[in-house]
Amino acid sequence: MTALTDDTLPVTARAMRDEMIVFVFMALALAAVPFTGIYPFFVMQALCFALLACAFNLLIGYGGLLSFGHAMFLGTAGYCSAHALKVWALPPELGILAGVAAAVVLSIVTGYISIRRQGIYFSMITLALSQLLYFIYLQAPFTHGEDGIQGIPQGHLFGIVDLSKSTVLYYVVLVGFLAGFLLIYRIINSPFGEVLKSIRENEQRAISLGYRTDQYKLLAFILSGTLAGFAGSLKVFVAQNASLTDVHWSMSGEVVLMTLVGGLGTIFGPVVGAFVIIAMQQYLASYGQWVTVIQGAIFVICVLTFRRGVVGEIAHYLRRSL
Amino acid sequence: MQALYAQLLVGLINGSFYALLSLGLAVIFGMLNIINFAHGALYMMGAFVAYFLLNNDYLSIGYWPALIIAPIVVGIFGMILERTMLQWLTGLDHLYGLLLTFGLALIIQGVFQNYFGSSGLPYAIPDQLKGGMNLGFMFLPVYRGWVVVFSLVVCLATWFLIEKTQLGAYLRAATENPTLVRAFGINVPRMITLTYGLGVGLAALAGVLSAPINQVRPLMGADLIIVVFAVVVIGGMGSIMGSIITGFALGVIEGLTKYFYPEASNTVVFVLMVLVLLVKPTGLTGRAA
C-alpha cells in the first residue's frame, strides 16, 4: 500500500522558510483584494471553503483518515450560529462561539464512533453519520427544513466592528481564515503532527512504538471538526443564511474535491483547490448540471493522472515542501 | 394490522434492494478492493436502460427481456470502466478507488440529469404481474411479492455461485492470493473484470426491479447508496450470506419503524449503525479489517 501523499522531503529550516514566504505572499494578496476589482463576496465564500478544506486536509493529509462527512461540521456550526444570532440575538463573537462549541461536541461524538473502523469503513461511517444529521435537520423545527434560517443579522463584532459593511466583513473573515490556517500549520509542525504522520505512514509501527494511536486520531478528528465548524460559523456571516445544502453529503464530496485538486497533504493545496472549485462553480453556473459532470471528471482525472494535485505537483517539481 | 403488514412488505422490498446492492458491493470489494461508490449510479442506469428499451419507438422491449438485457448492458459498461480506469488503481491506497468511483457517479448522474431532468419517469408494471392477491390477513400486490421472491432467488444463486462452484472457488482463491492463482494458469485480470461486471449487473438488476415501484429518476441511487453503505458497515461485508441477511433484515426493521414511529424511518438504519459500531466495531458478520 502506497502512502497517500508524496512528502518525502524532511521538515527543515529551509522548508519552514519557504512555507512562511508563501504564507506572507498569500496573506498580502488576499489583503489586497478589496483594492482590486474582484468581487469580495466571492473571495469571502472561497475563504470559508478554503478553511474547511484545510481542516479536512489536516485529517486526511496528515492522519490518513478520509472523512466523507465533513459537511456535517460546516452545517451544524452554521445552524447553531445562525440560531444564536437570529433567535437568541447574541452578538457575533458569541454566535461564532456557539457554532464552534456545537462542532466540538459533534466531533467528539462522531469521532468516537467513526475511528473504531479504518480506511474505507471510516469514510462510509462518516458519510452515514452526516446523512443521519441531514435527516435530523430536515425534520427539526429550529432549522426550518427546506427554507433554512434566512436573514441573519450580522451585528457588531465586540460591539464596535460593524460587520454589515462589506469591506469590514471581508477583513474579519480574512483574519479568521488566516488564524485558522496558522493554527493548522502549527498543529502539523508540532510533535503531535509528527505522530499523526507516523500513524498515516504505518499505524502498526506507531502502535508498537507505544503510541495510543486511537487517541491521536480522535484528537485530530476533533481539531479538524472544530476548525471546519469555525468555517461554517464564518460562512453564516458571509451568506447570511444557513441551509440544508451545507449539510448535504454532496458538500462533503466538494470538500474532498477541493483538497484533491489542490493537493492532499500539502499545506497550501486546499486553499488553491477551494479557490479553483468555487471559481469554477461561479463561472460555470449557467451550464446547470454539467457542473456536476465536470466536477466528476476532475475527480477522475485527478485520481488517474494527477494524484499530487496542483500544489503537490509544483512542490514536487521544485523539490520543495509547500 | 393491515398497515403493519403493508409496511413490512415495503420493508422487505427495500430490503431486497439493500441486499442486491450490498451483495454486489461485497463481490466487488472482495476482488478489486474498491468500495464502488458508483454502485448507486449504476443501479439508476439499470432502471433507465429498462425505461429506454420500453419507450424507444424502434425497440419497445418490455419488462421481461429488460430484466436480462439491462444488467448485461450495464455490466458491459461496468467492465469497460474497470478496464479503462479502475484497473490502474491496483496497488494504490483503496481510498483512491473510492474517490475515482465517486467521480464516476457524479459524471453518470450529471449526464442523466441533463437529459432527463430531476423528476421521475413512470414505468408500468408488466401485465402478467398486475393486480393483487388476497392473503386473508392482507392484500398483496403481485408485483411487490414478485420483487421479494425474485431478488431472494438471485441473491441465493449468487451465493451458490461464489461459495459452492468451481468458478467461485477460483474467485475466492484469487481474492486471497492473486499471484498464486495466476501461477495456476488462471487469467486473474479477466476474472476481476468479470467480477466487476457481475457486481454491477446485480445493481442494474435491482434498478430494473425497482423501476415499476419507484419512479425512474437520475438521483434514485444517490441517496440509496448511503443507506446501503450503512447496511455494509452494520453487516461488515465479511460474508456473502451476511450481506444478504443484513440487507433484508434492515429493510424489515426500517418498515417496522415506519409503522411504529414514522419520524425515525429515515434515520433508523444510521442509528442502528451507530449502535452496532459501539458494541461490535467489525460489524455483525465482519472480520477484523
Side-chain angles (χ1 to χ4, degrees), chain B residues 7-279:
Chain B
Q7 289 302 347
L8 266 179
L9 180 63
V10 171
L12 269 177
I13 290 173
N14 284 336
S16 13
F17 298 142
Y18 297 161
L20 280 172
L21 291 177
S22 67
L23 178 63
L25 279 179
V27 171
I28 291 173
F29 183 68
M31 276 303 273
L32 287 84
N33 230 329
I34 281 175
I35 280 285
N36 190 26
F37 216 120
H39 220 63
L42 295 161
Y43 157 85
M44 175 272 286
M45 269 181 89
F48 263 100
V49 171
Y51 176 84
F52 180 76
L53 288 175
L54 185 67
N55 290 293
N56 186 292
D57 289 340
Y58 303 101
L59 298 169
S60 54
I61 292 173
Y63 179 81
W64 299 103
L67 215 46
I68 298 163
I69 298 174
I72 291 176
V73 170
V74 179
I76 289 172
F77 176 72
M79 288 193 258
I80 295 171
L81 290 184
E82 199 280 329
R83 268 292 147 103
T84 51
M85 296 179 198
L86 292 171
Q87 200 186 34
W88 304 106
L89 298 181
T90 322
L92 287 173
D93 196 298
H94 42 224
L95 298 180
Y96 286 115
L98 185 76
L99 296 178
L100 181 76
T101 48
F102 178 71
L104 289 174
L106 287 184
I107 297 176
I108 296 169
Q109 279 162 10
V111 167
F112 277 81
Q113 271 184 298
N114 273 312
Y115 287 109
F116 299 97
S118 290
S119 51
L121 306 166
Y123 188 95
I125 294 176
D127 289 334
Q128 298 88 334
L129 297 174
K130 275 187 179 145
M133 275 186 284
N134 197 340
L135 298 181
F137 57 92
M138 72 173 291
F139 180 80
L140 173 74
V142 174
Y143 185 77
R144 298 184 174 232
W146 152 256
V147 169
V148 174
V149 174
F150 182 65
S151 33
L152 199 59
V153 170
V154 172
C155 284
L156 293 177
T158 314
W159 170 82
F160 185 83
L161 174 76
I162 291 171
E163 298 291 336
K164 299 287 169 200
T165 62
Q166 185 75 49
L167 182 70
Y170 287 146
L171 220 121
R172 280 176 290 134
T175 314
E176 293 292 325
N177 192 337
T179 328
L180 190 67
V181 173
R182 226 170 168 159
F184 282 113
I186 291 163
N187 189 339
V188 174
R190 185 194 292 160
M191 216 149 86
I192 290 177
T193 311
L194 287 174
T195 308
Y196 192 73
L198 172 72
V200 165
L202 284 172
L205 182 69
V208 183
L209 284 175
S210 100
I213 300 179
N214 310 307
Q215 288 194 316
V216 181
R217 290 181 301 121
L219 293 179
M220 63 192 280
D223 292 327
L224 182 65
I225 190 72
I226 301 175
V227 182
V228 174
F229 279 177
V231 171
V232 165
V233 171
I234 295 171
M237 221 145 69
S239 73
I240 300 291
M241 199 44 110
S243 346
I244 300 172
I245 294 170
T246 325
F248 275 101
L250 285 167
V252 170
I253 291 172
E254 209 178 41
L256 288 175
T257 316
K258 219 171 261 169
Y259 178 74
F260 289 108
Y261 188 58
E263 289 83 0
S265 59
N266 278 332
T267 52
V268 65
V269 175
F270 303 117
V271 174
L272 273 174
M273 181 193 80
V274 170
L275 293 177
V276 169
L277 280 169
L278 291 176
V279 180

Side-chain angles (χ1 to χ4, degrees), chain A residues 38-58:
Chain A
I38 305 168
Y39 187 38
F41 177 78
F42 158 73
V43 184
M44 279 194 278
Q45 215 190 1
L47 284 175
C48 294
F49 283 111
L51 184 54
L52 176 66
C54 287
F56 166 81
N57 184 43
L58 174 63

Side-chain angles (χ1 to χ4, degrees), chain A residues 85-105:
Chain A
L85 293 165
K86 193 176 177 187
V87 180
W88 298 341
L90 291 182
E93 59 277 11
L94 291 183
I96 292 177
L97 209 59
V100 174
V104 172
V105 174

Side-chain angles (χ1 to χ4, degrees), chain A residues 2 6 11 26 39 59 66-68 81-82 86 89 101 103 109 114 125 139 147 158 199 202 212 217 221 226 264 284:
Chain A
T2 56
D6 178 69
V11 181
M26 179 179 79
Y39 187 38
L59 204 54
L66 173 62
S67 159
F68 232 107
S81 286
K86 193 176 177 187
V109 176
S114 51
I125 292 162
Q139 290 172 346
D147 297 334
F158 303 116
I199 294 173
N202 189 337
R212 295 191 171 177
K217 289 198 291 191
F221 193 90
T226 306
L264 286 174
L284 299 180

Side-chain angles (χ1 to χ4, degrees), chain A residues 150-226:
Chain A
Q150 308 278 347
I152 293 152
Q154 288 164 315
H156 290 65
L157 189 64
F158 303 116
I160 34 174
V161 184
D162 185 1
L163 295 181
S164 59
K165 288 187 180 136
S166 108
T167 314
V168 175
L169 180 64
Y170 177 81
Y171 282 108
V172 170
V173 171
L174 178 60
V175 168
F177 163 76
L178 292 176
F181 184 90
L182 282 177
L183 182 61
I184 292 169
Y185 184 71
R186 187 71 196 86
I187 292 169
I188 57 183
N189 285 305
S190 68
F192 169 76
E194 295 300 325
V195 177
L196 217 52
K197 284 175 217 166
S198 80
I199 294 173
R200 179 193 68 195
E201 297 303 328
N202 189 337
E203 182 162 359
Q204 294 308 319
R205 190 166 56 198
I207 292 173
S208 71
L209 286 172
Y211 290 109
R212 295 191 171 177
T213 56
D214 275 359
Q215 290 182 359
Y216 280 88
K217 289 198 291 191
L218 181 58
L219 185 55
F221 193 90
I222 295 169
L223 287 168
S224 175
T226 306

